[in-house]
Amino acid sequence: MNILPLKKRGLNTSRLVLGCMPFGGGWNSDPVTKEDETQAQKAVEAALSIGISMFDHADIYTRGKAEETFGRILKNKPGLREEMVIQSKCGIRFAEGDVPGRYDFSKAYIGEAVDGILRRLGTEYLDVLLLHRPDPLMEPEEVAEAFGRLKAAGKVRYFGVSNMSAAQIRFLQRALPDQLAVNQLEMSLARHDWLDQGVHVNQKAGTSVNFSEGLLEYCQMENIQIQAWGPLAQGKFSGNLGESEPEHIRKTAELVGKLADEKETTREAIVLGWLMRHPAMIQPVIGTANAERIAACKDAERQAELMTREEWYSLYVSARGSFLP
Ligand SMILES: NC(=O)c1ccc[n+]([C@@H]2O[C@H](COP(=O)([O-])OP(=O)(O)OC[C@H]3O[C@@H](n4cnc5c(N)ncnc54)[C@H](OP(=O)(O)O)[C@@H]3O)[C@@H](O)[C@H]2O)c1
């Protein structure tokens, strides 16, 4: 039986992760409203009620307000922290004055960023820290020093990355004593380059594919947990189809609906089940803050187990909008 890579490393996480990017209102300095607080509280309760124990943050989400809001939820329920696996990210800095938005993997900044994350969440440790986006100025030895200090101080248990290629991970890994545990990437029925890259080897059609070659296989071989951000494709196939979407996306949404009806399940479960059917044991990071939509994701793991090869390929080929080579 396939086991989640993070579980193999000893982290007792759920298969689905709740993404907390929408918590805390807008990406501005407006105060968090009572409604924002209530929505986040309901979302966390809905997630826990369907067995989700892992929560994904980043220091930048709603400019720190997402973590602060989550911190208040933790504070109000003693004991809740220990039931959860909490992940956050750092490394992206906002523009300041004339200085543009940028990435920063310097040891001073990583240390500062984690202290800010822990303060906002009101927790003493993070289960997982990810580097949010590759910093062209990354020096692996410097990152290793930062990670070493955080681990020794008991502030972070596991480290990982996001949006990185296999070459970038290998480059960083060679300086680190512990194996990187996670790579978080955009993957969904709408964003399927991660599959196209493999099926178009030696094909002209593959030149427009934008996914790092061999990354999927590399993560699988190195027991790196692949997490999918944007896994619901913003609801494109489950009730949020925009008017300008092309024909093949409309047809795919219809197919998702047909399968959901036949299997007496939700569209969300089919969309996520399709991702989870892949042998890489992908962990979808669902970004809905709507309690009902979170509940609608409950059946995803079962649908992944039930999904036939034929159903999986029908969804993939339909979402591609073109036949396989
Ligand atoms: N590592 C990275 O670089 C990175 C980048 C982006 C995000 N992330 C992480 O991944 C998580 C998920 O990303 P995401 O938000 O892009 O993914 P998503 O789960 O594909 O989409 C969630 C969004 O779609 C909306 N939505 C879903 N179904 C809908 C429906 N039927 N009708 C109307 N709206 C619907 C949700 O609104 P409602 O809230 O109203 O349901 C929400 O705004 C984030 O929370 C964050 O933790 C990571």
Side-chain angles (χ1 to χ4, degrees), residues 19-22 56 61 89 132-133 162-163 184 229-235 238-240 268 285-290 293:
C20 301
M21 190 166 71
D56 179 69
Y61 291 165
K89 318 182 196 75
H132 209 151
R133 278 193 178 276
S162 177
N163 304 303
Q184 194 176 106
W229 64 265
L232 290 169
Q234 284 71 49
S238 49
N240 195 26
E268 285 82 359
V285 184
I286 56 170
T288 172
N290 174 312
R293 262 196 276 285

Side-chain angles (χ1 to χ4, degrees), residues 33-306:
T33 64
K34 191 77 205 124
E35 290 72 44
D36 297 331
E37 296 264 358
T38 306
Q39 188 189 34
Q41 172 80 40
K42 285 190 176 161
V44 170
E45 281 166 12
L48 292 169
S49 78
I50 64 158
I52 293 180
S53 63
M54 185 162 185
F55 296 83
D56 179 69
H57 287 271
D59 54 358
I60 56 168
Y61 291 165
T62 59
R63 291 190 166 255
K65 290 186 290 177
E67 288 177 336
E68 275 169 14
T69 305
F70 199 85
R72 281 192 286 277
I73 294 171
L74 292 179
K75 198 172 170 198
N76 288 338
K77 200 167 172 210
L80 188 57
R81 169 67 186 97
E82 276 61 50
E83 289 171 30
M84 292 177 165
V85 173
I86 302 184
Q87 169 173 283
S88 192
K89 318 182 196 75
C90 71
I92 299 182
R93 298 185 73 155
F94 290 115
E96 290 152 292
D98 289 342
V99 185
R102 61 209 182 277
Y103 307 137
D104 192 340
F105 288 4
S106 66
K107 65 176 179 244
Y109 187 71
I110 292 173
E112 247 175 66
V114 171
D115 285 343
I117 291 169
L118 297 179
R119 193 182 59 248
R120 287 188 292 275
L121 289 172
T123 181
E124 284 173 6
Y125 66 97
L126 276 180
D127 293 288
V128 188
L129 174 73
L130 307 185
L131 296 175
H132 209 151
R133 278 193 178 276
D135 172 10
L137 299 181
M138 170 172 84
E139 294 186 43
E141 290 71 19
E142 193 177 356
V143 174
E145 222 183 302
F147 283 5
R149 283 188 199 170
L150 292 169
K151 185 131 192 219
K155 293 179 180 177
V156 177
R157 296 176 65 200
Y158 296 86
F159 298 92
V161 297
S162 177
N163 304 303
M164 276 206 194
S165 70
Q168 288 167 325
I169 297 175
R170 287 214 311 273
F171 179 52
L172 174 59
Q173 184 64 71
R174 77 193 220 298
L176 303 176
D178 294 336
Q179 267 229 311
L180 290 163
V182 173
N183 190 16
Q184 194 176 106
L185 301 156
E186 186 180 10
M187 303 166 108
S188 71
L189 201 44
R191 177 71 211 274
H192 41 72
D193 281 5
W194 55 285
L195 296 167
D196 299 336
Q197 196 273 330
V199 299
H200 284 301
V201 169
N202 202 26
Q203 293 268 312
K204 258 223 161 72
T207 50
S208 62
V209 174
N210 180 21
F211 191 80
S212 160
E213 192 180 347
L215 177 56
L216 206 60
E217 294 79 1
Y218 176 75
C219 291
Q220 287 177 267
M221 287 190 297
E222 297 299 322
N223 193 41
I224 294 173
Q225 179 69 60
I226 299 175
Q227 294 178 342
W229 64 265
L232 290 169
Q234 284 71 49
K236 209 171 266 194
F237 306 109
S238 49
N240 195 26
L241 189 68
E243 277 178 16
S244 58
E245 289 295 348
E247 187 60 16
H248 70 281
I249 294 292
R250 298 184 170 280
K251 286 248 167 353
T252 309
E254 277 171 30
L255 179 56
V256 167
K258 180 172 160 283
L259 287 170
D261 291 347
E262 279 170 16
K263 292 162 180 279
E264 298 183 347
T265 190
T266 61
R267 287 160 193 243
E268 285 82 359
I270 298 294
V271 170
L272 298 174
W274 177 81
L275 262 180
M276 294 155 84
R277 170 67 177 79
H278 191 278
M281 295 297 285
I282 295 161
Q283 230 185 351
V285 184
I286 56 170
T288 172
N290 174 312
E292 277 171 30
R293 262 196 276 285
I294 294 170
C297 299
K298 183 180 178 188
D299 200 28
E301 190 166 5
R302 196 174 72 94
Q303 291 307 323
E305 283 161 14
L306 294 174

